[in-house]
Amino acid sequence: MGRLKECIGTGIETDMFAKVWSATLLGLQALQVAVEVDVAGGLPQVLMVGLPDKAIQEAKERVRAAIKNSGFAFPPRKVVINLAPADLRKEGPSFDLPIALGLMAASEQIETSALDDTLFLGELSLDGTLRPVTGVLPVAAAAKRMGMQRIVVPIANGMEAALVEGLEVYGLRSLQEVTQWLQNPQQFEPVRVSPEDLQGESDRFIPDLADVKGQAHARRALEIAAAGGHNVLFVGSPGAGKTMLAKRLPGILPDLSWDEILEVTQIYSVTGLLRQQGNASEEFRLPLIRDRPFRSPHHSASGAALVGGGSYPKPGEISL
């Protein structure tokens, strides 16, 4: 922080630059993003470039308040933040943390030695608390492919990111705790998932096919479809039992393999449908989809809702 005060006090127009690694989601894939921050002379203002969406544009005010309320100084100079590559559209509040760290690194307020091989992800509250974000599991998998050694996420997302083997995962509570980790990583333990966490049983209630009396022909069709992965089309008058039978199909589906569990969990992570247990002050239970997904879209669902898509592509009912 000494250099920042020196430059402000003497009027020296010294440019300062920092780069922090993060990632954005494109459909079901995570792509690497470099958050570049340049602090230069000029009238105090913050410019954001690199095709950010509205949530990222609003990060300027969240980051400003979070930095000040965490005991650091927001540089009163011209700040340019670039999210590279510039031709890739970015969305969501998960860039709050890397933007804040880039600002603090450019103004020499934090230790920067661990920034080069670490990926950062997280939304900031105005008091500096880290809030959970979506899509952490595919981002963690992408971080490993990128050659990153570590990933820093909000504590609520720690166990989700730890499902990726060969990557150090740190789940932290606040911006101030992240700066402490940068200064002395040894005092923090990486998040680890135990075998007991992975062997938990589903607590979802599934209607039992054994409750159905009669309907032998339809039951036989469901059993064949579940065993062979076939499609089923029920046709009949209202009240014949079509919906009753369909709701009981998940109860006889084969168990998911571990690779399938990770694949399904990534899809649900991207859409923000992973169930979060506990409250904001507690560590959440391991979010893992152990049951074969079963969706019940309404008959009036649009094509986009079924197939997916949008300005920022999201999975539809078919993918879910």
Side-chain angles (χ1 to χ4, degrees), residues 80-111:
V80 178
I81 302 169
N82 178 42
L83 306 179
D87 60 346
L88 178 66
R89 299 180 69 181
K90 295 93 181 174
E91 67 164 335
S94 59
F95 289 99
D96 288 5
L97 178 59
I99 289 173
L101 293 176
L103 281 164
M104 296 162 68
S107 54
E108 297 187 345
Q109 299 183 72
I110 59 172
E111 176 63 40

Side-chain angles (χ1 to χ4, degrees), residues 76-242:
R77 310 182 68 192
K78 181 180 179 180
V79 176
V80 178
I81 302 169
N82 178 42
L83 306 179
D87 60 346
L88 178 66
R89 299 180 69 181
K90 295 93 181 174
E91 67 164 335
S94 59
F95 289 99
D96 288 5
L97 178 59
I99 289 173
L101 293 176
L103 281 164
M104 296 162 68
S107 54
E108 297 187 345
Q109 299 183 72
I110 59 172
E111 176 63 40
T112 60
S113 58
L115 295 180
D116 293 337
D117 51 9
T118 305
L119 190 143
F120 296 89
L121 209 66
E123 176 186 348
L124 285 172
S125 297
L126 298 186
D127 62 354
T129 303
L130 284 174
R131 297 173 56 85
V133 294
T134 61
V136 170
L137 182 55
V139 168
K144 182 181 178 181
R145 293 195 303 270
M146 298 170 195
M148 294 288 172
Q149 295 184 16
R150 296 171 293 270
I151 181 171
V152 174
V153 297
I155 190 170
N157 297 121
M159 295 190 73
E160 179 184 346
L163 290 171
V164 178
E165 297 180 352
L167 186 70
E168 289 185 22
V169 177
Y170 292 90
L172 304 178
R173 292 181 170 83
S174 64
L175 177 60
Q176 195 170 43
E177 200 168 82
V178 175
T179 61
Q180 293 170 1
W181 175 83
L182 287 170
Q183 186 175 0
N184 187 13
Q186 289 75 24
Q187 67 176 328
F188 293 89
E189 286 291 329
V191 180
R192 293 183 174 87
V193 176
S194 65
E196 292 76 15
D197 294 324
L198 303 178
Q199 295 172 359
E201 296 183 359
S202 170
D203 57 358
R204 188 178 67 162
F205 172 75
I206 301 175
D208 198 331
L209 191 62
D211 298 334
V212 179
K213 307 302 179 185
Q215 298 279 16
H217 188 65
R219 288 181 52 168
R220 178 64 174 161
L222 285 179
E223 292 164 1
I224 294 173
H230 306 299
N231 298 310
V232 178
L233 174 64
F234 281 134
V235 179
S237 57
K242 303 184 298 296

Side-chain angles (χ1 to χ4, degrees), residues 2-14 77:
R3 184 180 174 189
L4 178 65
K5 291 181 177 178
E6 179 183 346
C7 294
I8 296 173
T10 60
I12 298 175
E13 301 296 329
T14 303
R77 310 182 68 192

